[in-house]
Amino acid sequence: MMGTSNKSIEKRQPVLSGESDLTLEVVILIIFGIFMLLFGIFLFQIHTGALPYAPDSTYGLFLLLVAIQMITMGKTPFGDLQRSWFLILIGICVAIVGMAASFIPGYLSFQVKEIVGFILLAGGAALLLQLFVREDKARTWKQYPGVIRQLILACGLVYAISCICGLITLAPGITTDYQTAVILILYSMSFFYIAFCIQRVKRQDPLTGQTDSGVQEEQVQQAEGFKKIFKEVTLSISVGVVLLVATLLTLLGILLIPVNLGLLPFSQDGLLGMLLVIFSIQMMALGETPLGPYKRSWFLIIIGIIFATLGISACIVPGLLTSLLQVLVGLLNIIGGVILLFMRFYPILQAKRNPPEQPAISHPLLLKMGITQTILNFVSIAFGISMLIPGIIPGIINANIIIVNGLLLFVLTSFILKAEVIARELQI
């Protein structure tokens, strides 16, 4: 019995510690699934008045997820396009609208509702039409057995229910809250199903998994002149997410100035929810956490799912987790800033105590990146302290600190892009 038990333990140990192979597209589909599942479950309680509801941050979070797909993968609600700076700029604009609606409730309520409704209805209809009309979609998939053929059903379900949800969003009176809740739960199941299918295809054939690319292939052919204007860019997922965080913090800091002057309302839940969802995507897709990079294990995936669940819940139901998330985000920023500062300066101190025979020469760009990251770490600690002890930093000063944080992230992004260009030239 002891031998069998030990063998069983040995088999179980790698499950959580083993490296995850989830792609970004699958991660975002899973988060969409969690979003719709929680929304459907909460709607039963929202209908009875047992829970409050924040439609602005709910729709805003949806737009943020759409923007992430556009910026990091070139995916739009109407199909895949070549990932150009023009498309990235549109994605950032979509993110700004979603963030503004979440942070400042009541000012963009009608607009974000109409935008989300249009995206769901028109986007779902466009993708459903492409599924059966395009030669490289259902017509090709049905020739293969197994999970590839299941993609036809999975895609069809997601697109069809998207259309239904779009109609409900634009004309909410056509269904009851209970019916809408059931539809949302079914919608979540379709997202989980398509994520499962895409991941299976990816594991069976990596090339096929890439062409599938989260339901839509990068098959949009455009004229040569058009391509010159909207030239494809090489932008890593990590840089794309940093761009989003930079946009979020800069916008947040700007909006906090009139908020602190009493001119605008502010939703702490919308901010905390969006931050946690972005953290979850970084963890699940990249292995990057507020405490530094780690191996992208299945344990980290579970932590990311928990973060996504907390963030989505905060956006849908205001006040439910506010205090908990304030403490969590505050501690993550403080501890993360301290850890990253230690990791940066400890090797320098060690080198001074035991200097090498030939001192290493650093590229000027790396020195600039190091200085920028150091300032960002100190700003992160200050932001964390303001979360843990509200009011310790005057509101206007805190707003300016957050603006500086966002602008420095834009600067860091430009340094990373330059470093990537230099690395590619050296490889050539």
Side-chain angles (χ1 to χ4, degrees), residues 39-266:
F39 194 7
I41 293 171
F42 285 140
L43 194 54
F44 288 108
Q45 299 298 314
I46 291 169
H47 173 76
T48 63
L51 289 176
Y53 171 49
D56 290 0
S57 55
T58 301
Y59 294 136
L61 179 59
F62 178 88
L63 291 179
L64 177 67
L65 292 175
V66 169
I68 290 173
Q69 287 185 307
M70 295 173 70
I71 293 169
T72 59
M73 295 182 289
K75 296 182 180 304
T76 77
F78 307 95
D80 283 13
L81 296 175
Q82 182 171 265
R83 195 161 64 121
S84 63
W85 280 115
F86 179 72
L87 185 63
I88 291 169
L89 181 60
I90 293 176
I92 290 174
C93 291
V94 171
I96 288 173
V97 173
M99 292 171 187
S102 296
F103 301 160
I104 311 297
Y107 280 80
L108 295 172
S109 303
F110 176 78
Q111 290 84 350
V112 291
K113 179 182 177 182
E114 295 298 306
I115 292 171
V116 170
F118 175 76
I119 285 174
L120 288 169
L121 177 58
L127 293 175
L128 189 62
L129 180 64
Q130 292 176 44
L131 177 64
F132 294 103
V133 170
R134 282 176 50 167
E135 197 68 40
D136 56 312
K137 293 298 176 185
R139 295 183 185 182
T140 300
W141 297 348
K142 67 181 181 181
Q143 300 174 15
Y144 297 92
V147 70
I148 296 180
R149 188 177 295 176
Q150 290 181 44
L151 275 173
I152 301 172
L153 175 61
C155 293
L157 284 173
V158 171
Y159 302 156
I161 301 177
S162 291
C163 294
I164 296 170
C165 288
L167 284 172
I168 294 171
T169 304
L170 295 173
I174 62 176
T175 59
T176 65
D177 285 344
Y178 290 119
Q179 290 170 337
T180 302
V182 172
I183 291 169
L184 286 170
I185 292 172
L186 291 174
Y187 198 21
S188 73
M189 296 300 107
S190 69
F191 273 116
F192 292 137
Y193 181 38
I194 197 170
F196 167 78
C197 290
I198 291 173
Q199 187 64 17
R200 284 284 302 276
V201 171
K202 167 74 173 157
R203 284 176 177 171
Q204 291 177 7
D205 186 349
L207 293 177
T208 306
Q210 289 173 5
T211 57
D212 211 82
S213 192
V215 189
Q216 284 293 310
E217 300 177 33
E218 195 172 352
Q219 294 288 337
V220 179
Q221 301 297 325
Q222 302 175 44
E224 287 301 319
F226 194 71
K227 282 187 176 181
K228 289 177 182 178
I229 299 173
F230 301 97
K231 188 178 179 181
E232 185 176 6
V233 296
T234 302
L235 192 70
S236 65
I237 296 171
S238 180
V239 173
V241 176
V242 171
L243 267 177
L244 271 173
V245 176
T247 303
L248 183 149
L249 291 175
T250 305
L251 178 65
L252 173 64
I254 293 170
L255 291 176
L256 281 178
I257 294 174
V259 166
N260 282 284
L261 295 174
L263 302 176
L264 290 175
F266 180 68

Side-chain angles (χ1 to χ4, degrees), residues 233-426:
V233 296
T234 302
L235 192 70
S236 65
I237 296 171
S238 180
V239 173
V241 176
V242 171
L243 267 177
L244 271 173
V245 176
T247 303
L248 183 149
L249 291 175
T250 305
L251 178 65
L252 173 64
I254 293 170
L255 291 176
L256 281 178
I257 294 174
V259 166
N260 282 284
L261 295 174
L263 302 176
L264 290 175
F266 180 68
S267 171
Q268 187 85 342
D269 297 285
L271 166 63
L272 294 170
M274 283 194 165
L275 282 174
L276 282 178
V277 170
I278 292 174
F279 287 165
S280 73
I281 292 173
Q282 289 178 303
M283 288 181 192
M284 296 168 70
L286 303 168
E288 295 178 0
T289 77
L291 307 181
Y294 292 90
K295 184 177 77 170
R296 201 161 64 104
S297 64
W298 286 106
F299 177 74
L300 195 61
I301 296 293
I302 293 172
I303 299 297
I305 289 173
I306 293 171
F307 271 50
T309 302
L310 293 173
I312 293 165
S313 300
C315 286
I316 298 172
V317 184
L320 183 66
L321 301 168
T322 310
S323 300
L324 170 65
L325 297 190
Q326 271 186 302
V327 173
L328 177 61
V329 172
L331 288 175
L332 286 174
N333 276 274
I334 294 171
I335 297 171
V338 171
I339 290 175
L340 293 174
L341 283 172
F342 176 79
M343 292 172 63
R344 185 168 296 113
F345 287 106
Y346 182 72
I348 296 175
L349 294 174
Q350 288 292 96
K352 285 185 176 180
R353 291 177 183 174
N354 304 295
E357 295 180 2
Q358 294 183 349
I361 301 175
S362 297
H363 192 282
L365 185 60
L366 293 178
L367 292 174
K368 291 179 182 179
M369 287 177 65
I371 294 170
T372 305
Q373 288 172 326
T374 300
I375 298 172
L376 279 168
N377 295 147
F378 281 113
V379 173
S380 175
I381 293 170
F383 180 71
I385 292 171
S386 70
M387 277 285 179
L388 285 181
I389 314 173
I392 191 172
I393 301 175
I396 297 297
I397 295 176
N398 191 38
N400 283 285
I401 289 173
I402 294 171
I403 292 173
V404 170
N405 195 351
L407 294 177
L408 283 174
L409 281 173
F410 280 119
V411 172
L412 182 62
T413 301
S414 69
F415 289 157
I416 294 172
L417 291 174
K418 290 177 182 177
E420 289 178 350
V421 170
I422 293 171
R424 284 196 296 270
E425 289 175 350
L426 291 175

